[in-house]
Amino acid sequence: MNNIKYNLEKARKYEVENMDIINDDKKPLIHLSSPIGWINDPNGFSVFKDEYHLFCQYHPYSKAWGPMHWAHFKSKDLIKWEHLPVALAPDTNYDSFGCFSGSAIDDNGKHILMYTGVIKDDEKERQTQCIAIGDGINYKKLEQNPIIKGDILPKGSSLVDFRDPKIWKEDDTFYSVVANRAEDGSGQIALFSSKNLIDWEFKNIILSCNNELGKMWECPDFFELDNKHFLILSPQEMEQQGLEYHGGNCNVYTVGDYDKNKFIFNKHNTQALDYGLDFYAPQTTITSDGRRVLVGWMQSWDNHMTPYEFGWSGIMSIPRQLVYKNDRLYQIPVEEIKNYYKDTITIQKYIENETFEDKRLFSRTFDLVVEIDVNDLDEFIINFAKNQRYNTKFIYKCKEQLAIFDRNGAGIRKDCLNERKINITSIDNKLNIRIIVDKYTVEIFLNNGYKTMSSLIYTNMEANQISFEVKGKSNIIINQNLF
Ligand code: FRU
């Protein structure tokens, strides 16, 4: 089979020659977004030579998904990203259909990328694991690729759905978890090990879906935090379960204990990670100062809606530090975001059955923190990205302890899902709401990151008003930081 139509030189040249047509004013201010064309899944999130590197699934040639390349960015602070030349192109006979998602580590000054090579034609489709090694700009695929083929998986495992390796190193051994479809048609996570990156051994299936949590699982991430092990998964074809899991492509994490000798993961507790409309395929890395930081793709496969006049599609979330407390993985925007605040406005007010507005708060690029007293309150609404025509809402219904994100008024020109609800309880009669808006992105962090909701709005930029509606009585404290 020889379907090779793409190469790195062509992709790099295309970027240089065409990127100027993209209007940077239309891009988010502090969120990483596609340079040109389409991006999905964060890949290869790692620290290399004192800088953060982030790659992602990339089809530079159109705004739609296509044969996957890897786009490449680096940053000193996780917020301001420098765009680098395309890192991988689907240019060999083992990845001609795409260099699918994967991960990266720094191994003694060598930047190791581990990704899925996909081939597909009328007769055959295969996914295998491959390695490319580089210096932070140029990456060379190993001659021995593919270094893991599906034939070493347990009998009945899919050779077609076998992707998204997450690599790490412990002592002198490399490990990788890879998502796979088991004989029963649902997901399983396979663990492999290697001493030299070339010869890999199958160790165990560390977790099986058994058709209980969606179908195929994508993009596994496996790491230790506070003496517990966490497995992050992106299940496909999830069925709705109350307000915890929504239908379609979902994202979940499971916390448990990992027996490093027997390669067994005993899960204790599984929950959704983010409850918004646009969040998928998150990946983590560990910073030099020991923080576990996560980035997700802020878009949904079934529901995506980039306006047709944009020359690009795809935005990554704000990197979030993960902290485990109160039996929950908290997500907190990295501290570095505060270096980008240009101005801060603080308002403290008692409000009774009234809609409150303050002209100074108008913006579409802000980090807003609101604390409300819920004792004598029935309902609290924050309206934003608002003008006479448009409106996006965060609603809190106190008695039901229910939070609602509602973008029905955001001017979306597609028949898509616009609302999501979650349960959230107040603490000491207070609810803390943090909303980061960067033109099109809305990331809501409730009770200091206890639960998050990440969604997109493509509302006209002129819709930049904010108002607060109080049904009942409440003391509210508003802190708005402008970017
Ligand atoms: C998740 C995913 C991955 C795959 C990639 C292809 O969004 O489907 O499983 O590697 O996207 O672009």
Side-chain angles (χ1 to χ4, degrees):
M1 123 170 28
N2 188 354
N3 284 330
I4 304 169
K5 296 197 192 96
Y6 297 90
N7 64 57
L8 202 59
E9 200 189 333
K10 175 174 160 179
R12 287 182 168 186
K13 190 159 173 266
Y14 182 85
E15 270 190 333
V16 171
E17 287 174 358
N18 292 279
M19 245 160 48
D20 282 355
I21 59 168
I22 306 290
N23 179 354
D24 274 347
D25 286 353
K26 288 211 155 184
K27 294 270 185 88
L29 220 56
I30 59 152
H31 283 69
L32 188 157
S33 58
S34 175
I36 186 170
W38 162 279
I39 62 168
N40 60 280
D41 303 11
N43 294 157
F45 192 19
S46 53
V47 179
F48 181 68
K49 297 199 170 146
D50 296 328
E51 288 177 307
Y52 299 102
H53 283 253
L54 186 63
F55 303 79
C56 54
Q57 292 285 280
Y58 188 31
H59 185 236
Y61 304 110
S62 83
K63 289 180 307 179
W65 189 90
M68 283 288 109
H69 297 58
W70 275 35
H72 189 188
F73 307 83
K74 70 173 184 177
S75 169
K76 290 196 188 322
D77 67 357
L78 291 162
I79 303 289
K80 193 173 183 335
W81 292 94
E82 181 189 338
H83 174 227
L84 297 173
V86 186
L88 298 176
D91 55 4
T92 72
N93 60 10
Y94 52 84
D95 63 15
S96 56
F97 189 73
C99 301
F100 275 21
S101 283
S103 51
I105 50 164
D106 174 350
D107 185 41
N108 295 320
K110 287 186 188 149
H111 206 193
I112 316 289
L113 311 186
M114 188 171 190
Y115 71 97
T116 300
V118 185
I119 51 168
K120 187 175 183 172
D121 65 16
D122 293 344
E123 287 147 35
K124 191 162 144 188
E125 183 175 353
R126 284 287 176 273
Q127 300 189 347
T128 55
Q129 313 320 315
C130 307
I131 291 219
I133 302 184
D135 59 2
I137 300 227
N138 296 306
Y139 295 84
K140 196 166 170 342
K141 296 177 182 175
L142 289 186
E143 271 167 28
Q144 293 87 343
N145 278 343
I147 41 84
I148 310 180
K149 291 190 195 153
D151 54 5
I152 60 169
L153 285 163
K155 199 171 148 281
S157 305
S158 169
L159 304 180
V160 174
D161 287 310
F162 178 38
R163 57 182 175 270
D164 310 337
K166 175 73 200 253
I167 187 172
W168 74 96
K169 193 177 185 186
E170 253 174 78
D171 303 324
D172 61 347
T173 308
F174 297 96
Y175 292 94
S176 181
V177 281
V178 187
N180 181 224
R181 195 189 287 272
E183 199 162 16
D184 69 1
S186 74
Q188 61 181 7
I189 302 301
L191 174 76
F192 300 88
S193 76
S194 169
K195 292 276 182 206
N196 60 5
L197 294 171
I198 296 165
D199 306 299
W200 289 80
E201 205 183 308
F202 169 75
K203 290 304 207 190
N204 206 2
I205 296 295
I206 62 160
L207 194 67
S208 299
C209 171
N210 301 321
N211 280 303
E212 279 168 9
L213 204 66
K215 289 279 182 187
M216 172 62 186
W217 286 343
E218 300 189 301
C219 303
D221 196 339
F222 192 49
F223 55 86
E224 194 176 343
L225 180 71
D226 295 337
N227 299 318
K228 294 260 165 233
H229 265 83
F230 292 82
L231 183 63
I232 291 181
L233 303 165
S234 294
Q236 292 180 314
E237 297 178 70
M238 183 75 113
E239 257 181 38
Q240 183 187 345
Q241 285 182 36
L243 296 183
E244 194 59 27
Y245 306 128
H246 56 80
N249 289 68
C250 226
N251 60 87
V252 304
Y253 73 92
T254 169
V255 50
D257 295 311
Y258 177 54
D259 183 331
K260 287 186 181 179
N261 299 315
K262 296 193 180 127
F263 307 108
I264 295 172
F265 177 62
N266 290 311
K267 71 175 168 103
H268 303 320
N269 185 3
T270 306
Q271 292 181 319
L273 192 61
D274 187 284
Y275 298 81
L277 291 157
D278 301 286
F279 193 82
Y280 195 62
Q283 188 174 86
T284 72
T285 192
I286 184 131
T287 63
S288 336
D289 58 1
R291 291 174 290 164
R292 180 60 60 176
V293 174
L294 171 135
V295 172
W297 174 44
M298 273 192 73
Q299 195 155 301
S300 124
W301 278 116
D302 286 343
N303 217 18
H304 70 83
M305 51 177 199
T306 318
Y308 63 86
E309 64 274 16
F310 282 29
W312 56 276
S313 175
I315 307 177
M316 296 297 160
S317 72
I318 276 293
R320 303 156 180 193
Q321 185 181 348
L322 299 179
V323 175
Y324 190 60
K325 53 181 187 187
N326 307 325
D327 294 331
R328 176 90 201 154
L329 204 49
Y330 281 62
Q331 296 174 63
I332 304 154
V334 291
E335 277 296 302
E336 288 87 338
I337 194 175
K338 296 190 174 152
N339 299 333
Y340 291 82
Y341 293 167
K342 294 219 173 87
D343 200 8
T344 297
I345 299 155
T346 303
I347 297 167
Q348 196 160 352
K349 237 178 137 30
Y350 170 78
I351 307 183
E352 198 175 329
N353 292 317
E354 174 192 337
T355 297
F356 167 70
E357 264 178 314
D358 184 311
K359 296 237 172 324
R360 290 172 301 162
L361 297 179
F362 290 16
S363 174
R364 275 290 285 276
T365 48
F366 59 80
D367 184 349
L368 175 77
V369 184
V370 181
E371 192 166 89
I372 53 169
D373 260 326
V374 300
N375 239 353
D376 296 316
L377 195 62
D378 294 325
E379 193 172 296
F380 179 70
I381 303 175
I382 305 176
N383 298 289
F384 54 99
K386 167 178 156 14
N387 59 8
Q388 279 187 338
R389 184 161 173 182
Y390 302 115
N391 195 352
T392 294
K393 289 173 192 277
F394 169 81
I395 303 164
Y396 187 59
K397 291 181 181 292
C398 297
K399 291 209 177 63
E400 292 108 302
Q401 308 233 317
L402 193 71
I404 305 164
F405 171 75
D406 175 357
R407 67 175 182 197
N408 281 296
I412 292 160
R413 291 176 188 273
K414 265 189 113 176
D415 184 11
C416 65
L417 209 63
N418 289 322
E419 205 177 280
R420 197 150 271 159
K421 296 180 181 160
I422 58 169
N423 293 119
I424 181 100
T425 18
S426 51
I427 299 171
D428 297 332
N429 285 319
K430 289 192 192 322
L431 186 78
N432 184 283
I433 309 152
R434 179 170 180 186
I435 305 181
I436 300 179
V437 169
D438 187 2
K439 297 185 184 173
Y440 321 112
T441 58
V442 181
E443 289 164 276
I444 304 176
F445 300 84
L446 296 171
N447 285 344
N448 301 304
Y450 180 75
K451 283 190 174 175
T452 62
M453 302 176 93
S454 305
S455 312
L456 294 174
I457 50 169
Y458 284 103
T459 317
N460 187 315
M461 273 315 131
E462 281 147 29
N464 65 357
Q465 301 166 12
I466 301 173
S467 72
F468 305 86
E469 279 176 55
V470 172
K471 294 179 186 157
K473 308 172 193 168
S474 182
N475 270 309
I476 66 174
I477 305 172
I478 302 166
N479 259 294
Q480 194 194 36
N481 306 292
L482 299 167
F483 298 119

